[in-house]
Amino acid sequence: MKTKIFLTLLIPIVISSCQKEVKQDPFEISNNRIGLLTHEVMVSQLDSVFATDSITKRVSANQYLAATNEIEVYDKGGNKLLILEASDQSDPASTIESIQVIDARYKTNSGLSANSTFKDIKEHYNISKINNTLSTAVIFVDSIQAYFTIDKKQLPGKFQSNTDLKIEVTDIPDSAKIKNFWISWDKN
């Protein structure tokens, strides 16, 4: 009887000790997640998500301009990590709508970061569309809810002063550096 009780207690201990706790990478970008930040985190929870970092809310210097909903995240060394945009930062229950990835330590599982090139995007992801704006090409990658801007100065001259031309994947040099890396979470 004692042996059965002993085995009954021992088996769960052995099983639980064999399972390794998987710790979330604080710099991994995946679907609906950037490090410890998920699409469900509310503004009121940001202090706990970024407990070892510093959070500041941008305040418009001009009283006539609309209030901004941007929240900047810095590491303890003062390096800017992310810029978060909440639907309404004054509402504690508001969630994050978009994130600008600043720090290159934030990467997708394929290694795509803010310091990557266009080649890194096209080799690992399906490009959903490319928009031609006044000063940038905007590349959309729906599978990771991301869009990237590339300065049009890195494109052939015919695109630099014309927003009517359609930019194709083949028009962007592999070596073109990412100017901005954004994640945009749908609120479905």
Side-chain angles (χ1 to χ4, degrees), residues 16-112:
S16 67
S17 67
C18 291
Q19 296 174 341
K20 293 183 180 177
E21 183 179 320
V22 178
K23 190 173 182 180
Q24 178 65 40
D25 180 350
F27 295 105
E28 180 186 9
I29 298 173
S30 59
N31 197 32
N32 290 322
R33 175 180 295 280
I34 296 180
L36 303 176
L37 180 67
T38 69
H39 70 290
E40 297 172 336
V41 170
M42 295 180 286
V43 171
S44 63
Q45 298 171 311
L46 290 176
D47 287 337
S48 62
V49 171
F50 296 105
T52 62
D53 301 312
S54 177
I55 300 172
T56 62
K57 295 178 181 179
R58 281 191 181 173
V59 179
S60 178
N62 187 331
Q63 66 182 3
Y64 299 107
L65 295 177
T68 182
N69 288 322
E70 292 182 348
I71 302 164
E72 296 177 336
V73 181
Y74 295 86
D75 66 14
K76 291 299 179 193
N79 302 307
K80 192 182 293 187
L81 300 173
L82 304 166
I83 299 174
L84 313 175
E85 188 169 331
S87 50
D88 181 1
Q89 79 176 15
S90 63
D91 178 5
S94 178
T95 57
I96 304 303
E97 289 182 341
S98 62
I99 301 102
Q100 184 178 5
V101 179
I102 307 293
D103 193 293
R105 290 177 288 178
Y106 286 96
K107 295 180 181 181
T108 64
N109 62 0
S110 67
L112 187 64

Side-chain angles (χ1 to χ4, degrees), residues 114-123 149-151 153-156 169-179:
N115 286 349
S116 293
T117 62
F118 182 68
K119 180 180 180 181
D120 299 321
I121 298 170
K122 78 176 189 179
E123 283 186 348
T149 61
I150 293 180
D151 195 312
K153 293 176 185 172
Q154 298 182 75
L155 302 182
V169 170
T170 55
D171 295 323
I172 303 173
D174 285 349
S175 60
K177 294 182 190 282
I178 292 174
K179 182 177 180 179

Side-chain angles (χ1 to χ4, degrees), residues 9-19:
L9 294 173
L10 182 63
I11 290 173
I13 292 170
V14 170
I15 291 172
S16 67
S17 67
C18 291
Q19 296 174 341

